[in-house]
Amino acid sequence: DAKTTQPNSMESNEEEPVHLPCNHSTISGTDYIHWYRQLPSQGPEYVIHGLTSNVNNRMASLAIAEDRKSSTLILHRATLRDAAVYYCILPVSSNTGKLIFGQGTTLQVKP
Amino acid sequence: GAVVSQHPSWVICKSGTSVKIECRSLDFQATTMFWYRQFPKQSLMLMATSNEGSKATYEQGVEKDKFLINHASLTLSTLTVTSAHPEDSSFYICSAHLAGPRIAYEQYFGPGTRLTVT
């Protein structure tokens, strides 16, 4: 299984952009890069996914390196409600949707 | 968006008893559901993959006779923790895979069930 590496924690100030990095040097050509986040005492929620091109949605942007060995989740303006654990995941199987969670990055947002 | 519910949201039971947790996809059909457990300050650990109409596939190290999974319909999967012990106390989370060519990679999670075994 391709593995991802993320910093354990990051801090941000409210209303400022946040860049959450993820390394996935063993990614294969067909692996999609997924990001989920988990707010305290809740189940994870889907944030964004991408394959090669940068992606944008209402929650965030995903910037994917040209060699696909790393990616960055961008929150354009952090709010206190964005404080969560962010997981960068490469699915084990695209057919079943099976996900293996690493330790993720705990994001603290300061007012 | 796709919604997954879990019931109960929390449960306290005595050691030696069994507890059933339900996971429902409310507005879509899910042929595949997943069960995770999460200990405090740790990441989610995948326990098993639940397929409608067939036996669940358990991850290595997960006791299938202790954690019984039933996926009787396209919208309901249940996890029964049998003969629960205090070390089974955890946050149990289910998810459903929404298949399709456009959104084949999105997985929707339930809110979780907090199990405390006394």
Side-chain angles (χ1 to χ4, degrees), chain A residues 24-38:
Chain A
H24 29 78
S25 58
T26 59
I27 192 171
S28 74
T30 57
D31 284 342
Y32 276 73
I33 302 156
H34 286 65
W35 284 82
Y36 285 79
R37 74 178 186 181
Q38 185 178 23

Side-chain angles (χ1 to χ4, degrees), chain A residues 35-109:
Chain A
W35 284 82
Y36 285 79
R37 74 178 186 181
Q38 185 178 23
L39 278 65
S41 298
Q42 295 186 30
E45 64 173 335
Y46 167 83
V47 177
I48 201 166
H49 76 269
L51 183 62
T52 55
S53 305
N54 295 343
V55 184
N56 300 297
N57 66 20
R58 64 175 180 80
M59 288 183 71
S61 295
L62 178 60
I64 301 172
E66 198 168 327
D67 63 5
R68 300 207 331 120
K69 294 186 176 182
S70 66
S71 61
T72 301
L73 179 71
I74 303 166
L75 307 179
H76 295 286
R77 289 181 67 207
T79 69
L80 296 178
R81 288 176 294 180
D82 291 321
V85 181
Y86 287 79
Y87 297 98
C88 167
I89 304 171
L90 305 181
V92 171
S93 166
S94 60
N95 290 332
T96 65
K98 185 174 172 180
L99 301 175
I100 303 297
F101 284 75
Q103 290 306 306
T105 297
T106 300
L107 174 66
Q108 280 187 308
V109 180

Side-chain angles (χ1 to χ4, degrees), chain B residues 44-109:
Chain B
L44 284 78
M45 185 195 81
L46 179 64
M47 298 176 67
T49 303
S50 169
N51 295 298
E52 186 266 338
S54 64
K55 289 184 178 180
T57 303
Y58 291 81
E59 295 298 304
Q60 192 171 9
V62 178
E63 299 175 60
K64 62 180 181 180
D65 294 330
K66 180 168 184 62
F67 299 100
L68 302 179
I69 292 172
N70 183 275
H71 194 154
S73 77
L74 288 173
T75 59
L76 173 65
S77 176
T78 61
L79 168 69
T80 301
V81 183
T82 63
S83 186
H85 288 100
E87 56 264 33
D88 298 323
S89 298
S90 188
F91 193 47
Y92 291 86
I93 306 168
C94 72
S95 70
H97 174 57
L98 183 55
R102 184 174 67 84
I103 45 178
Y105 306 97
E106 293 180 22
Q107 201 172 115
Y108 295 89
F109 288 81

